[in-house]
Amino acid sequence: MLHQESQLDRMGTLYVVATPIGNLRDISLRALDILAKVDIVAAEDTRNTSNLLRHFSLSTSLMALHEHNERGAAEKIIAMLTAGKSVALVSDAGTPGISDPGAILVRMVRQAGLKVVPVPGANAAISAISAAGIHDPHFLFFGFLPHKSAGRRRELESLKLLPYTLVFYESPHRILESISDLLAVLGGERNIVFARELTKVFETIHVCRLDEALSWLEADANQQRGEFVLLVSGAESVVAGGIGEDAVRVLKMLLAELPLKQAVKLAADITHEKKNELYTLALELKTD
């Protein structure tokens, strides 16, 4: 009995392909196979990707897909996929859709009932974490902080109580200002890991306290160049009695303004500490 091909079988596939973040030899064999066989490569910057393809002697056609044209480009790609063509999505470096264009395209393709296949590979954040020696198994990937100081500080205030390693991307022309804001909001006692120019010639991985970070950067202007991954240690999570220091501080502030029960409820909502433990601590604080 002959197999009857379904409509889905006749449609193309969108491959989300990770490319090197620096060293071109970090591309996977599977990524090369995909880039060679697809009908078209959708690239954040076609000039950058054409250099990558040329390096590996690939001649696949290119089209632009970036933050300014992603929805329009996605409609064209969906039409190609529906017609049975296959497309590879790449960003300038690393994994598409992670602080790079691509997420809108993937969502639209999936909503259209079409197939999306990840082709994993290089990622700057994961590379930095793997080489940082951070024992904490939990981290929060934030990506790029806002460009302006007021926005950065507002976001950092929302993150300062979290007990997880905080992972940021930053560009060279904002690195000094961002470190100043990290220091102002999070304090100087936390550790920071600078992972700069990963896999490239001038790769640097440096660990210091936040209150030492600006001095390190300013001592050598070369360390202010290139793309950064910043890993900042999380808030200290426990004190005697099992309640976090930041939770104690929040509770004290609320007790100064609100009735005990209301202060405890709000403190529990804000810090995610157990309400019973906060209530016991609040009674002790009131007694004192």
Side-chain angles (χ1 to χ4, degrees):
M1 186 180 206
L2 292 176
H3 170 67
Q4 186 172 1
E5 188 178 40
S6 70
Q7 183 179 4
L8 183 60
D9 291 334
R10 295 194 299 271
M11 293 182 181
T13 298
L14 174 66
Y15 296 94
V16 183
V17 181
T19 55
I21 58 176
N23 191 319
L24 292 180
R25 291 179 65 83
D26 287 337
I27 198 164
S28 72
L29 295 176
R30 183 183 176 208
L32 290 175
D33 289 342
I34 295 296
L35 293 174
K37 83 171 189 178
V38 294
D39 296 288
I40 197 161
V41 176
E44 182 179 5
D45 186 329
T46 55
R47 295 166 300 180
N48 184 67
T49 302
S50 66
N51 292 332
L52 174 70
L53 296 181
R54 191 180 307 115
H55 180 84
F56 291 105
S57 301
L58 302 177
S59 56
T60 312
S61 298
L62 290 166
M63 69 173 287
L65 183 141
H66 46 73
E67 61 178 331
H68 303 297
N69 78 338
E70 188 167 355
R71 290 187 181 277
E75 292 174 356
K76 295 177 182 178
I77 289 171
I78 288 171
M80 294 178 197
L81 297 173
T82 303
K85 296 183 181 297
S86 290
V87 178
L89 168 68
V90 301
S91 61
D92 282 350
T95 303
I98 303 175
S99 290
D100 273 325
I104 292 173
L105 167 65
V106 169
R107 184 175 69 246
M108 291 175 66
V109 169
R110 292 182 63 82
Q111 287 174 343
L114 299 164
K115 190 174 183 181
V116 179
V117 173
V119 182
N123 175 271
I126 299 302
S127 298
I129 293 168
S130 72
I134 297 172
H135 182 66
D136 184 355
H138 306 296
F139 64 89
L140 184 147
F141 175 74
F142 188 92
F144 286 99
L145 286 160
H147 291 185
K148 295 185 181 298
S149 180
R152 278 197 298 270
R153 293 195 179 204
R154 184 170 56 251
E155 293 291 352
L156 290 170
E157 285 288 349
S158 72
L159 301 172
K160 69 182 296 184
L161 298 181
L162 298 178
Y164 320 117
T165 298
L166 304 176
V167 184
F168 304 103
Y169 287 161
E170 194 50 274
S171 59
H173 60 277
R174 285 194 299 271
I175 187 63
L176 292 175
E177 292 82 358
S178 289
I179 294 301
S180 294
D181 288 335
L182 283 165
L183 178 61
V185 176
L186 303 182
E189 294 185 355
R190 300 197 192 197
N191 285 334
I192 182 169
V193 179
F194 290 91
R196 186 181 73 89
E197 291 289 86
L198 290 174
T199 80
K200 301 174 185 176
V201 174
F202 297 107
E203 175 181 275
T204 302
I205 300 175
H206 177 75
V207 184
C208 63
R209 283 169 44 118
L210 255 177
D211 57 8
E212 300 168 338
L214 278 174
S215 297
W216 178 75
L217 285 169
E218 291 170 343
D220 183 356
N222 288 321
Q223 300 295 3
Q224 301 171 31
R225 298 174 180 173
E227 300 299 321
F228 291 84
V229 182
L230 306 175
L231 311 177
V232 183
S233 57
E236 291 292 332
S237 59
V238 296
V239 294
I243 297 176
E245 293 177 357
D246 284 311
V248 174
R249 180 177 58 82
V250 169
L251 181 60
K252 287 180 177 179
M253 292 172 60
L254 293 172
L255 284 171
E257 304 292 337
L258 299 170
L260 187 144
K261 287 186 177 180
Q262 189 176 356
V264 168
K265 182 180 184 303
L266 281 175
D269 291 341
I270 293 169
T271 67
H272 305 292
E273 295 280 1
K274 293 180 180 179
K275 187 183 295 185
N276 289 343
E277 293 181 1
L278 288 170
Y279 188 82
T280 300
L281 176 60
L283 291 174
E284 293 175 1
L285 293 172
K286 281 290 188 182
T287 301
D288 293 342

